[in-house]
Amino acid sequence: MATTITWQKSSFSGGGDGANCVELSATQSTVRIRESDAPAAELTTTPACLAALIRGAKSAAFTHADG
């Protein structure tokens, strides 16, 4: 039995049906992320790992200055 995946477009992607969209599908244990113009390429992670990535990005933890 195939499971239907429901994708949600990021609110930061703007309106309309354009191809410049980040889409997300989530269950309690899995988060799938894809770019709408390349829907066959998906990243799969856990909610905890995605939350850690977002926290790091918001805190600029990934900023790298070449010196």
Side-chain angles (χ1 to χ4, degrees):
M1 181 172 156
T3 302
T4 302
I5 299 172
T6 302
W7 293 96
Q8 179 179 345
K9 184 172 113 175
S10 169
S11 61
F12 290 99
S13 294
D17 292 326
N20 296 325
C21 305
V22 173
E23 298 175 321
L24 182 128
S25 177
T27 66
Q28 283 191 325
S29 60
T30 304
V31 177
R32 293 178 179 188
I33 304 165
R34 71 181 185 182
E35 177 67 30
S36 61
D37 63 349
E42 296 178 14
L43 297 174
T44 304
T45 188
T46 65
C49 288
L50 180 59
L53 174 66
I54 292 169
R55 279 192 307 274
K58 285 183 176 182
S59 71
F62 307 122
T63 302
H64 178 74
D66 291 341

